[in-house]
Amino acid sequence: MNELIKLRERGGKVIIINPQIEIGLVKFASPAFPIKSLLTGGSDISSLYLQPIPGSDVALFVGLQKSLIEQNLIKTEYLNSYTENWQQIINYAQNTPWENITKICGLSQEEITATAYLIGQSERIVFAWAMGVTQQANGVDNILSIANTALITGNAGKIGAGTMPIRGHSNVQGFGSMGVTVNLREEIKQALSQLLGKPISETPGYHTRDLIEAAEIGKIDTLFCLGGNLYAANPDLQQAKQALSQIETIFYVATKPNLGHFHGLAKTQTLILPVFNRFENPHKTTTESGNNFVRLNDEGKSHLQPHNSDLISEIELITEIAHRLHGETPINWRKLQDTVYVRDLIAKTIPGYEKIGEIDQTKEEFIIAGRILEEPKFPTSDGKAQMFVTPLPQLSLPNKSDFGVSENQSGIIVILGTGRSYGQHNTVVYRSEDKYRNMPHRYCILMNSLDVKKAGFQEHQRITVKGNAGELNNIEIICGGIREGVAFMFYPETNVLFKAEIDPQSGTPAYKRVPVFVYSKM
């Protein structure tokens, strides 16, 4: 946020795309700018705020592309030199009627045209997104449409511009970098094979949704969970509970208790293995930021006296179990308790991480090589960016009968987006209230005042929210700055409501577009 404040002070523009008006994205009071915060209540953030229909990002970005073409603001020479398949993207945007675009995204042609002009006239654009884009049934297409827009304006492969995913947690980025993925990069496969002296297993893994479905039909006999809250992080909590109950043994390695330890129980035995958190670890660790740099952390200090505690670190636990199971095959597992040695192995196996092998000596943070593109040379076979046509989504809402209620039942169908509260960083421990959104507890629904009036409700009334998998009663209505026809509730409490659509390209559930029926049982 401080960077956005400084950008605005330099004369830059910030375009926000969000169905919900977040006050922190309109004006932000930062401790780094105390005088401005005191005198004006904060610094301006958004220059333009667009509120599209949830799930319609592709339609909006195809509209931006269409308008950029019509305003002669695309970089044809750049596209010719540095991209493949660009003409198909241009043709698709040109041949898509404005009526289709505006109907799907809910924004006017004038709004899209004004936004395209701002983008096209700017020397450098950074396109940043978070889970509002990825947690959709077409999340991969959403990202491709953003990338297409960056490319047709020449904003990829140059300093001060590009595409920038915002991660919810540093572990999200770091785990992927270390190869914790069902689709292991070929370079890492080869490096690991060379390190181990034999080919690595080609047995395919499961992403989270596939894991739940496999467990449900008895394909998983043992599950070893490193942190997190697998139960509550899934949509359809009843299904998640049933699936986990089919697994013979579950190990939860955890730094604190969470809902999964009580509801995600195995068929035969569930073991909760407490370990030091990252601020208590007795050894140095590294952290990868969402902005592609790595820093070395100091050793932590336990809140417990060592002689009163049997706790050990996560790395000691994992390597000791591996040693007892496998001895020194294919590597010396206990030697991996030395994090300096681990970092040496990372330097030899993970592309871009070569400098981590010397970080214990240099103590200097470093930028991961190959991630930030300062010139338009892309990691493809011919060095050109590959562009893909992104079809407009076909969005619709269910009928009341689809929720198992009579068409005569009063109430309103809205598109629910689930998300975190301010002060909530995960699904483990968090505050109950959200002061920024004026939501006093976890069981509220944020709605547009026009929807509340249309349904015959009143603010603070207690109602029922019904999805396609379950319902929540005694939910308090809070009116706020959210698009008409859209509502917001907190994750993971609302995961009991719905069986989410899944993006077939990524396996990600569509938490940001959940049709629900809101009604009163009284």
Side-chain angles (χ1 to χ4, degrees), residues 294-306:
V294 177
R295 65 162 59 99
L296 184 68
N297 300 320
D298 291 332
E299 301 93 334
K301 294 181 180 179
S302 173
H303 299 303
L304 304 170
Q305 295 298 322

Side-chain angles (χ1 to χ4, degrees), residues 174-185:
F175 266 47
S177 295
M178 294 300 105
V180 184
T181 168
V182 295
N183 299 309
L184 192 61
R185 290 168 58 186

Side-chain angles (χ1 to χ4, degrees), residues 244-264:
L244 293 171
S245 73
Q246 300 305 305
I247 300 172
E248 289 293 332
T249 302
I250 299 178
F251 296 90
Y252 289 116
V253 179
T255 60
K256 56 188 77 68
N258 66 61
L259 290 173
H261 300 158
F262 300 93
H263 299 287

Side-chain angles (χ1 to χ4, degrees), residues 268-403:
T268 303
Q269 53 192 353
T270 304
L271 291 88
I272 301 172
L273 308 177
V275 291
F276 288 134
N277 68 39
R278 61 177 172 163
F279 302 112
E280 299 170 331
N281 277 324
H283 42 248
K284 291 181 182 293
T285 58
T286 55
T287 305
E288 176 182 334
S289 85
N291 292 327
N292 296 316
F293 63 81
V294 177
R295 65 162 59 99
L296 184 68
N297 300 320
D298 291 332
E299 301 93 334
K301 294 181 180 179
S302 173
H303 299 303
L304 304 170
Q305 295 298 322
H307 60 274
N308 291 333
S309 171
D310 292 327
L311 285 184
I312 60 175
S313 68
E314 192 173 39
I315 192 170
E316 290 174 282
L317 175 69
I318 296 167
T319 53
E320 184 62 26
I321 291 173
H323 173 78
R324 295 189 187 189
L325 284 172
H326 303 296
E328 296 189 2
T329 305
I331 59 174
N332 184 332
W333 291 100
R334 277 183 173 155
K335 192 175 179 181
L336 291 174
Q337 294 180 12
D338 178 0
T339 55
V340 176
Y341 176 59
V342 172
R343 287 188 277 277
D344 181 59
L345 296 182
I346 290 172
K348 294 174 180 176
T349 53
I350 306 298
Y353 259 81
E354 292 77 12
K355 288 186 177 180
I356 202 171
E358 57 193 43
I359 198 171
D360 289 276
Q361 289 75 45
T362 66
K363 304 293 191 295
E364 294 178 357
E365 65 181 41
F366 65 90
I367 299 291
I368 302 163
R371 294 267 186 89
I372 298 174
L373 305 179
E374 296 184 350
E375 56 183 341
K377 290 182 180 179
F378 302 94
T380 59
S381 58
D382 61 2
K384 291 187 174 185
Q386 305 295 313
M387 299 181 72
F388 300 90
V389 171
T390 53
L392 267 61
Q394 301 303 308
L395 304 178
S396 61
L397 287 176
N399 299 312
K400 291 180 183 179
S401 58
D402 295 317
F403 295 101

